[in-house]
Amino acid sequence: ATTPCPVPSRPLSPQRPSFCPAKRLGELTATVLPAELRGRGVAAGVAVLLQTSTSRILLTRRASTLHIFPNVWVPPGGHVELGEELLAVGLRELEEETGLRLEDGTFSWRTLGLWESIYPPMLSRGPPRRHHIVTYLLLLSTESHQRLEVRMRPSESEVSAYAWLEPNILAAIAATEDGDERLGSVPSALPDTVGITELSNGSSSTAQLLTATLLSVAPAEGEDVERVSTGTKFALRLWLE
């Protein structure tokens, strides 16, 4: 059977970035937010960091056609339906987005933390349209990324690329701070590029992505850029602990 989730050593409370729109929502009058947004409320979500026996973590790039965080790198995840348990949500979303089905006895898991996610992530890009509390789960697979790769069948409607990232790359990603206007550089110890799998028109191909892309920060204004989401960086920092 699947190893049960250990009880957290301390209560979990949602964390959020310094620039989170929720900090300034009180400044927005009722006339600023459309009626459909005022009545939407806060939804629950789950995202899973899938760690392989070879210490790789799976990240996916969201499709450009998605309404929320297009072209942003994240772990597999999605909405919690009424009555669903968190692990069941994580496993369902993992299978729906990547085709990977994890059988009982092939993984263990634990809760990493809670994250308050709002889109757009900054008020400079407009009023919030989606508001989630995301539970990040760590799934520890007994299989290597090579074995899991054979079973990958990503959904192109949700995923445009994916990568099995190594700990040194993940640590560098976790060290970047969104909201910091200073542009970072790629540490000399890291490769200039990382291998990814691109999806297009029903087929997949290997490609190289500039490491600097994964180390990009969320711009304070203007169009967003291809980057790793702020919540993912939060989860990676907890994972590294």
Side-chain angles (χ1 to χ4, degrees):
T2 301
T3 302
C5 173
V7 178
S9 59
R10 60 183 183 278
L12 297 175
S13 59
Q15 303 298 305
R16 61 190 186 188
S18 60
F19 51 81
C20 181
K23 291 187 175 184
R24 294 181 54 200
L25 284 180
E27 302 172 17
L28 299 178
T29 65
T31 58
V32 173
L33 292 176
E36 66 270 17
L37 299 184
R38 296 197 302 271
R40 189 182 297 276
V42 181
V46 171
V48 294
L49 290 187
L50 174 60
Q51 178 182 337
T52 70
S53 64
T54 44
S55 299
R56 304 285 185 104
I57 294 284
L58 174 65
L59 292 188
T60 63
R61 187 177 65 201
R62 290 172 58 81
S64 61
T65 54
L66 293 175
H67 297 300
I68 302 176
F69 296 108
N71 294 317
V72 171
W73 288 84
V74 297
H79 295 281
V80 177
E81 302 294 342
L82 185 64
E84 274 191 306
E85 295 186 354
L86 296 180
L87 176 60
V89 177
L91 293 174
R92 171 176 58 77
E93 290 291 341
L94 176 66
E95 184 173 3
E96 289 178 0
E97 293 183 16
T98 71
L100 286 178
R101 180 181 179 87
L102 301 186
E103 301 294 341
D104 286 351
T106 66
F107 69 95
S108 59
W109 70 287
R110 64 183 176 89
T111 302
L112 286 172
L114 305 181
W115 182 254
E116 186 171 11
S117 174
I118 294 181
Y119 185 83
M122 298 177 184
L123 284 178
S124 60
R125 297 185 203 158
R129 300 200 296 272
R130 294 290 190 277
H131 192 173
H132 289 83
I133 299 298
V134 180
T135 301
Y136 280 92
L137 304 180
L138 174 63
L139 301 185
L140 297 165
S141 174
T142 59
E143 298 181 90
S144 68
H145 66 279
Q146 294 97 332
R147 288 191 62 180
L148 292 171
E149 172 67 27
V150 175
R151 304 205 303 273
M152 287 287 286
R153 299 291 186 274
S155 169
E156 205 171 311
S157 64
E158 298 188 72
V159 175
S160 63
Y162 66 88
W164 301 97
L165 298 177
E166 298 179 80
N168 59 337
I169 301 292
L170 298 164
I173 292 171
T176 62
E177 289 288 344
D178 288 323
D180 187 345
E181 291 300 314
R182 295 169 299 176
L183 294 177
S185 59
V186 178
S188 59
L190 297 182
D192 292 333
T193 62
V194 295
I196 67 171
T197 299
E198 296 261 20
L199 307 172
S200 180
N201 299 320
S203 62
S204 62
S205 60
T206 57
Q208 292 294 313
L209 179 72
L210 289 174
T211 303
T213 301
L214 297 176
L215 304 184
S216 297
V217 297
E221 296 182 355
E223 294 295 321
D224 206 347
V225 297
E226 184 177 349
R227 59 184 175 86
V228 176
S229 78
T230 312
T232 302
K233 295 175 184 179
F234 159 76
L236 288 174
R237 286 192 284 270
L238 295 178
W239 172 71
L240 288 166
E241 291 177 1

